[in-house]
Amino acid sequence: MKKNIYNRICFLLFCCIAGVLVLSACEEKDDMPAPPVITEIRNYAASPSDSLVNTLKAGQWVVLLGKNLGEISQVNFGSRPANINPTLITAQSIVVQVPSIPFDSVARDKVNVVTVMNSAGSTSFTINITGPPIISRVRNYATAPKDTVTSIIVPGQSINIVGYNIKNALTIAFQGVAADLKGAVYTDSSVIVKVPSNFSGADPLLANKITYGTAADTINYSIRIFDPAILEYYKDPLFTLLAGGIGKEKNWVLDLDAKGVSAKFKGPLYFSGVDYGWDNQCTKTGGDCWLYDPSYDSWMGAIQDYGSMTFGIKAGSAEPVLKVIQKGITKNGTFQGSYFFDIKTKTISFIAAVPLNMGRDQVWTKAYVISLKEDRMQLGFKDPNKAEFAIHNYIRK
């Protein structure tokens, strides 16, 4: 009898312990997080602007909606982790900003994927993620093996622009001249387009550049654009005076030697009214055409070697090139750039290089040609604070 009672007590204790263990396991199982789920992505904005989105771009604030989101450890957009603010997370939503994505270094099958992770697992949500257009290369539009990468394009040529985020361009322009996009053919990573046949009206500041614009942004891509008609332009005698002609170059220095003496002018620096212009003439009747032409004085700048400025025109491509060696100002060094000499307006636009100067505070991007001879040149630069030109006097080196 006692033995039966003992057995019953042991059995009851076993059942109680087993029940406690089962309940404890259930509680632990209930406490474990479940894998996250994303059901939709919306704009992070007040209603009614909090609409569903089907395209994301860098810097955009969005709300990821779903479930099991309270314990999120990481959110990736196109394999790029976003910054997570715990105060902007609930079990059903995550407010997050789309990070900048290096599209050219992300696998194409990962670019449009949003991945959300917690300790229980991860989930992926596919959505179009875009950014500024990126042009990686330009190919000849031809059947293989003639579809080679090219470094020079010509008017009327059909080309294949390869890159990222280039679908649905709003504009594709060559040196500022827009291409006809009606015949453009897109893939996920390229567009076939025809270069304009006529470059009349081209923007000299966009020389050798493709301007590519989408809804996200507009960028410039540098490539040699050769227009045979430009050869005639560079045959003008003024280009021979400035740069020596096609395939040549000319080197210019400020007219100031080591003794403070100028060889061709009274001094290296003159001043004038803003209507004083080409061939030392007044460009406007009754205009602001005064001229102050002093000899060198120390207030102009120290007696020193200020460097040199070389204008050239490449043979074959007729590309204008500029080299400036600055020695006497704060931004010293050797600079390679380009220029555009507008022979109609007698102005020179400087691109990616500051012209040789004596360190005054002028507007250096554009020069007004006051005079240009075989061995001497005067360029006027506007003062940003006064209605006058600072005319720098150069001689051929």
Side-chain angles (χ1 to χ4, degrees):
M1 181 69 180
K2 289 182 179 180
K3 185 176 180 180
N4 290 337
I5 293 173
Y6 175 78
N7 288 339
R8 288 178 181 178
I9 292 172
C10 289
F11 178 74
L12 290 172
L13 287 172
F14 172 78
C15 291
C16 289
I17 292 170
V20 169
L21 291 174
V22 169
L23 289 172
S24 176
C26 291
E27 288 178 0
E28 288 180 4
K29 186 175 181 181
D30 290 342
D31 289 341
M32 289 180 62
V37 175
I38 298 295
T39 56
E40 60 186 56
I41 300 178
R42 289 182 172 270
N43 282 315
Y44 180 51
S47 180
S49 298
D50 58 340
S51 55
L52 283 170
V53 294
N54 53 28
T55 297
L56 304 178
K57 62 181 180 180
Q60 181 179 358
W61 283 90
V62 294
V63 183
L64 311 184
L65 297 175
K67 58 183 181 180
N68 308 327
L69 304 178
E71 302 295 330
I72 290 301
S73 60
Q74 190 167 331
V75 179
N76 288 348
F77 292 83
S79 302
R80 185 78 171 180
N83 293 325
I84 298 176
N85 185 343
T87 63
L88 299 178
I89 297 177
T90 70
Q92 292 81 36
S93 68
I94 305 171
V95 177
V96 67
Q97 187 177 29
V98 181
S100 178
I101 299 172
F103 291 92
D104 53 351
S105 62
V106 177
R108 290 193 181 274
D109 61 344
K110 301 294 184 183
V111 167
N112 295 316
V113 177
V114 179
T115 306
V116 179
M117 290 166 272
N118 66 12
S119 59
S122 65
T123 187
S124 295
F125 188 90
T126 301
I127 188 171
N128 184 39
I129 302 177
T130 189
I134 300 173
I135 298 176
S136 56
R137 57 192 178 275
V138 175
R139 290 183 172 275
N140 294 307
Y141 177 56
T143 56
K146 295 182 179 180
D147 57 340
T148 55
V149 174
T150 182
S151 60
I152 183 169
I153 55 180
V154 298
Q157 178 184 2
S158 290
I159 59 173
N160 192 3
I161 299 174
V162 182
Y164 304 83
N165 305 321
I166 60 178
K167 265 192 170 181
N168 303 317
L170 299 178
T171 181
I172 305 175
F174 298 81
Q175 299 187 149
V177 179
D180 184 359
L181 299 185
K182 293 179 182 178
V185 179
Y186 297 92
T187 69
D188 286 338
S189 59
S190 69
V191 57
I192 298 167
V193 66
K194 189 174 183 179
V195 180
S197 299
N198 190 332
F199 280 103
S200 60
D203 185 344
L205 297 181
L206 293 174
N208 299 316
K209 285 183 171 56
I210 298 175
T211 301
Y212 205 102
T214 65
D217 205 351
T218 298
I219 58 97
N220 286 321
Y221 177 81
S222 295
I223 188 170
R224 178 68 188 133
I225 302 174
F226 178 63
D227 182 1
I230 202 69
L231 288 173
E232 295 303 317
Y233 185 76
Y234 287 118
K235 289 178 181 178
D236 189 282
L238 286 176
F239 276 99
T240 301
L241 292 175
L242 178 69
I246 297 174
K248 299 180 180 180
E249 62 181 30
K250 284 181 72 171
N251 196 10
W252 300 88
V253 297
L254 285 162
D255 191 8
L256 183 70
D257 66 15
K259 297 181 180 180
V261 176
S262 297
K264 304 294 183 180
F265 301 93
K266 289 184 180 180
L269 191 63
Y270 292 171
F271 298 88
S272 76
V274 294
D275 296 319
Y276 190 83
W278 172 247
D279 201 25
N280 290 276
Q281 301 295 315
C282 191
T283 60
K284 184 185 297 184
T285 302
D288 184 18
C289 294
W290 56 270
L291 175 68
Y292 174 46
D293 53 349
S295 299
Y296 168 76
D297 201 294
S298 59
W299 58 262
M300 296 180 182
I303 298 175
Q304 60 184 331
D305 179 6
Y306 283 91
S308 64
M309 179 166 58
T310 304
F311 292 89
I313 304 172
K314 284 186 178 180
S317 65
E319 179 182 359
V321 290
L322 175 70
K323 179 180 178 181
V324 181
I325 300 175
Q326 302 277 14
K327 291 185 177 181
I329 63 175
T330 302
K331 295 182 179 180
N332 284 345
T334 300
F335 304 92
Q336 300 281 354
S338 184
Y339 66 93
F340 176 73
F341 184 12
D342 189 331
I343 58 178
K344 291 183 179 179
T345 62
K346 304 301 187 295
T347 58
I348 299 175
S349 297
F350 290 85
I351 304 166
V354 174
L356 183 66
N357 68 88
M358 299 183 71
R360 305 186 69 83
D361 184 17
Q362 305 296 309
V363 177
W364 299 115
T365 54
K366 186 176 184 179
Y368 296 79
V369 183
I370 306 301
S371 68
L372 179 58
K373 308 295 183 183
E374 174 62 29
D375 60 350
R376 68 196 75 181
M377 173 174 66
Q378 294 176 284
L379 300 181
F381 300 94
K382 280 189 175 180
D383 189 301
N385 301 310
K386 295 183 289 185
E388 68 178 37
F389 285 149
I391 300 175
H392 284 61
N393 297 325
Y394 304 93
I395 57 173
R396 184 177 183 180
K397 184 176 179 181

